[in-house]
Amino acid sequence: NTGEYCYDTTQQLRNSVQRLVPPELSEQVTVDSEQDAFHGVSTKGVKALVTHVLAQMEPPLAKMLKPNWGANMEVGDSSDFISDIGSELNRIMPTISGCLSATYLRFFCDKFVTALIQRYIANIYKCKRVSETGAQQMLLDIQTLQLILVRLPILGSTEASVNVPARFTSTFSSFYFFIMFV
């Protein structure tokens, strides 16, 4: 948020300086490169946060590789590793959403979900053999993960009527259809 504050402040500073200089020189007063630098700092910070939160997901994702997906298994509730991902995100997201502006929170969610989905798909390919019941369990897990991740932007929100952006939910539709064909 400091980078965002500095970005806004440089715009105000530019406006103030433009009022002080003669009109023919006012167009020469720019702070574009400074604003780009502050925006870049904020973007790098959010990307570092994505990397950190994704690292928190590594233990649950490692659990995904342990079951014998090729064996005849009982399809039931979602797997433990999905519950662990949900618990970890429920623990982390209130702090993140309290620290980021709405714009950067959406940016974080987009980047994090994309990275987690890529990691999840990579793990699916690492599962050697998958039986029909194993595939059914994976589909159940994916649906549960989708329900968790679609609520990511509103986890920890204090507002009672926060809606998940439609653009955010479309990410999951394409993810789900991709998984159906894998």
Side-chain angles (χ1 to χ4, degrees):
N1 286 342
T2 303
E4 187 176 21
Y5 170 78
C6 291
Y7 178 89
D8 293 340
T9 303
T10 55
Q11 182 67 32
Q12 294 167 1
L13 178 63
R14 181 188 66 91
N15 293 341
S16 296
V17 171
Q18 282 181 332
R19 284 193 299 269
L20 295 174
V21 299
E24 63 273 3
L25 298 175
S26 69
E27 289 302 316
Q28 295 177 6
V29 177
T30 64
V31 292
D32 294 342
S33 63
E34 288 79 8
Q35 285 183 318
D36 288 345
F38 288 126
H39 183 68
V41 167
S42 297
T43 300
K44 286 180 183 178
V46 171
K47 286 181 179 180
L49 187 58
V50 167
T51 301
H52 174 73
V53 175
L54 192 58
Q56 301 298 313
M57 300 298 115
E58 284 304 316
L61 288 171
K63 280 185 177 179
M64 178 183 178
L65 300 174
K66 291 185 178 172
N68 181 0
W69 295 100
N72 287 329
M73 53 179 24
E74 289 288 321
V75 178
D77 290 337
S78 59
S79 300
D80 288 342
F81 72 93
I82 295 292
S83 299
D84 293 348
I85 288 172
S87 296
E88 191 64 22
L89 290 174
N90 280 326
R91 184 185 69 78
I92 292 172
M93 284 308 295
T95 303
I96 291 173
S97 61
C99 294
L100 296 178
S101 68
T103 301
Y104 286 110
L105 180 61
R106 278 192 307 275
F107 179 68
F108 166 81
C109 290
D110 288 342
K111 294 295 180 189
F112 173 74
V113 167
T114 300
L116 184 64
I117 288 172
Q118 289 171 350
R119 181 72 171 83
Y120 192 88
I121 290 170
N123 271 13
I124 289 175
Y125 282 118
K126 289 178 184 176
C127 297
K128 303 287 186 214
R129 292 182 182 187
V130 179
S131 67
E132 186 176 333
T133 55
Q136 290 173 355
Q137 182 64 47
M138 282 185 172
L139 285 174
L140 178 65
D141 290 343
I142 289 165
Q143 289 172 340
T144 305
L145 182 63
Q146 179 180 4
L147 292 173
I148 293 167
L149 293 179
V150 80
R151 294 187 40 78
L152 195 64
I154 60 173
L155 285 178
S157 176
T158 56
E159 298 177 31
S161 62
V162 177
N163 293 324
V164 177
R167 180 179 59 91
F168 193 72
T169 58
S170 69
T171 302
F172 298 102
S173 297
S174 59
F175 167 59
Y176 188 73
F177 287 121
F178 174 79
I179 296 300
M180 290 290 288
F181 293 108
V182 171

